[in-house]
Amino acid sequence: MTASTILGIETSCDETAAAVVRDGSDVLSSVVSSQIELHARFGGVVPEVASRAHLASINPVIDRALADAGLPAAAIDAIACTVGPGLIGALLVGLSAAKALALAWRVPLVGVNHHEAHLYAAFLEDPSLEFPLVVLLVSGGHTMIIEMAGHGRYRLLGRTIDDAAGEAYDKVARFLDLGYPGGPAIDRLARRGDPQAVAFPRAMMTREGSADTLDVSFSGLKTAVVNHARRHPGLDSADIAASFQAAVVDVLVTKTRRAAAQVGARGVVLAGGVAANSQLRADLAAACHADGLACFLPSPALCTDNAAMIAAVGWHRLHADGPSPLDIGAQPNLRLAFG
Ligand code: KG4
Ligand code: ZN
């Protein structure tokens, strides 16, 4: 593959991000402007607020990414930008900027799937990861167990049938009055709680009926937490947080381990915002160690949305499939191509 320096742009949700990455894994700069504080008072991301904030930040964030990389615009060989999935208005801000720059700088544009980018966060830190891999992708919007047989070759093994793992964290945190986003707050609170205080249900893990599926379900768990807390008002919220977290992590680790055994994976990769969870990281690492599997845990900055992972996928896609047409549209419901 030819050497290339790619500018990545990401605006699918509530982070405005730009990064410069050389040859798919050498991160020269990565700038992330988070809108978390803007949305916190609403208890979640407000699409219109997100679009406006992206508009205000996109040019300064791109300028900063070039400056941090110490490169002039002329050094950029291609632009990679998230085209979906995500919020339509938010996606359009990044994509319009990417198209304008591609035209002005006369460089190719490559549209990137945001989920695929989360899978590639691992390759930024360890380009030598060996296939087949099982990826546990856990974020605010999605929970998927994916087999990665090679670059661009994915198979969906399991997914949530209702709430995403991050969504369950955010809903339970809202109920416990812990603010937004809920994941980090529950993670912190759980450290001083007893994970065995309450035996919350582990859906779809028992031997009856649904035991063999690699799908997961979290909405019953959320309801169980709410009902239990209402019935036991004196219960320490740290114990509730720790017991809830123990149930989520137990399910995710058990299913991922089973998936890895089923496909004969050489390693397991954790990805997405919930990959920052301390208990999930510790338990998954221990399970992989016990099963003789390589375990890749991305550093926290690569778990959440960033543009370095967009540029990394852009490099692979550009060399495998060529550039995208300049009239490529934003695709809010884009899925990973599973084959
Ligand atoms: O991937 P991400 O940044 O955004 C998308 O959903 O695409 O993930 C955000 C999600 C939120 O639900 C947040 O509560 C959760 O990741 N999260 C965590 C932790 N840090 C972030 N969940 C559990 N433990 C954490 N430490
Ligand atoms: Zn994401």
Side-chain angles (χ1 to χ4, degrees):
M1 288 192 217
T2 49
S4 56
T5 303
I6 295 191
L7 170 69
I9 297 177
E10 154 66 36
T11 61
S12 66
C13 190
D14 60 346
E15 262 98 25
T16 315
V20 179
V21 178
R22 190 169 278 160
D23 299 340
S25 60
D26 185 7
V27 182
L28 304 185
S29 68
S30 181
V31 179
V32 178
S33 167
S34 174
Q35 306 174 3
I36 280 186
E37 281 173 22
L38 273 181
H39 299 288
R41 64 196 154 112
F42 301 110
V45 177
V46 181
E48 190 52 33
V49 173
S51 308
R52 285 165 192 266
H54 284 308
L55 212 47
S57 306
I58 187 75
N59 287 338
V61 165
I62 292 172
D63 287 348
R64 176 78 188 282
L66 288 171
D68 284 1
L71 292 176
I76 299 298
D77 298 310
I79 298 176
C81 181
T82 307
V83 292
L87 303 169
I88 181 73
L91 287 165
L92 281 171
V93 175
L95 189 54
S96 305
K99 287 179 179 180
L101 292 176
L103 264 175
W105 297 348
R106 297 173 197 277
V107 293
L109 170 75
V110 55
V112 168
N113 181 314
H114 182 87
H115 289 328
E116 192 175 12
H118 272 300
L119 305 189
Y120 271 84
F123 290 92
L124 281 172
E125 289 179 314
D126 188 354
S128 68
L129 281 172
E130 290 182 29
F131 301 112
L133 292 166
V134 160
V135 185
L136 172 63
L137 174 55
V138 268
S139 72
H142 299 273
T143 296
M144 297 190 262
I145 299 174
I146 298 160
E147 178 192 9
M148 199 171 173
H151 288 294
R153 292 174 55 210
Y154 316 112
R155 188 155 63 100
L156 181 65
L157 301 173
R159 65 185 168 87
T160 179
I161 59 162
D162 41 55
D163 290 354
E167 192 179 352
Y169 266 94
D170 292 337
K171 285 178 176 170
V172 168
R174 196 173 309 153
F175 173 72
L176 295 176
D177 256 341
L178 298 176
Y180 171 86
I186 290 191
D187 196 355
R188 271 192 306 276
L189 185 61
R191 278 177 211 152
R192 60 171 183 81
D194 174 8
Q196 289 174 344
V198 191
F200 285 127
R202 271 84 166 143
M204 305 175 86
M205 252 176 59
T206 53
R207 285 284 144 210
E208 304 105 41
S210 51
D212 292 332
T213 176
L214 293 172
D215 288 343
V216 297
S217 158
F218 293 117
S219 85
L221 171 61
K222 174 202 64 198
T223 309
V225 170
V226 170
N227 289 342
H228 191 91
R230 285 203 175 122
R231 275 199 303 270
H232 304 86
L235 206 62
D236 185 351
S237 57
D239 286 344
I240 298 178
S243 302
F244 160 75
Q245 177 157 284
V248 173
V249 170
D250 196 8
V251 169
L252 291 175
V253 171
T254 303
K255 298 273 174 163
T256 304
R257 201 170 187 175
R258 214 177 277 165
Q262 243 177 49
V263 303
R266 303 182 74 151
V268 168
V269 168
L270 190 55
V274 184
N277 186 264
S278 57
Q279 193 67 47
L280 181 57
R281 294 171 80 91
D283 288 10
L284 193 63
C288 288
H289 183 73
D291 294 350
L293 294 166
C295 181
F296 185 80
L297 306 173
S299 59
L302 286 177
C303 294
T304 45
D305 291 347
N306 64 86
M309 66 183 190
I310 306 299
V313 178
W315 186 79
H316 284 280
R317 289 277 70 81
L318 189 63
H319 291 102
D321 310 325
S324 305
L326 268 184
D327 64 355
I328 188 172
Q331 298 159 63
N333 301 314
L334 184 64
R335 293 166 158 249
L336 260 185
F338 293 112

